[in-house]
Amino acid sequence: MSTAKPTQKTTPPKPGSRPSIRVDATLSDDLAVIMSTGADFAGAVRAAVGQLADIYRTAWAHGTAPEGETPLLIAYQLAPRPTGAPAVTRPYDAKSDRPAVPRVGRRIPGPYPVRQPTT
């Protein structure tokens, strides 16, 4: 992640705006991986930002990191697509194939309870 420069805005762009970013070699390589699934540039950016935002929301909702701080992702789990599932080439053109992540404010499962020693 980059650190915001004093002249950079730290507020999200308004819906409908067209923000621009400088594409360096690393970003280009990362976009190529995501776009190799059939997504276009906008779909790739939306999918990547959406997934990262879900990670942040989940970490904040579970108390893994204080809200507003970047959580440290140390593991993830992958699963193959269900057999016969249609490939989604533009994630925001169709119903998402990602499981819904509970939003902050909704009841979500907590961490496993700590067992108390029995006497």
Side-chain angles (χ1 to χ4, degrees):
M1 294 256 155
S2 63
T3 305
K5 295 179 182 175
T7 57
Q8 290 178 325
K9 295 180 181 179
T10 56
T11 57
K14 294 187 184 320
S17 66
R18 295 181 165 269
S20 64
I21 59 169
R22 185 175 310 272
V23 178
D24 61 10
T26 303
L27 179 57
S28 177
D29 292 345
D30 292 343
L31 285 167
V33 170
I34 298 169
M35 292 172 72
S36 71
T37 65
D40 63 3
F41 173 76
V45 171
R46 286 186 184 110
V49 170
Q51 188 167 12
L52 185 61
D54 286 346
I55 291 168
Y56 282 24
R57 285 185 196 103
T58 302
W60 296 339
H62 283 279
T64 304
E67 192 164 336
E69 289 190 14
T70 304
L72 176 63
L73 179 64
I74 57 172
Y76 54 90
Q77 185 173 357
L78 301 172
R81 278 193 177 287
T83 305
V88 177
T89 57
R90 292 181 51 123
Y92 290 87
D93 285 350
K95 181 170 171 48
S96 175
D97 62 337
R98 293 185 299 157
V101 175
R103 302 296 184 228
V104 175
R106 292 182 58 193
R107 184 172 179 187
I108 58 174
Y112 288 105
V114 177
R115 290 191 174 181
Q116 299 297 326
T118 57
T119 54

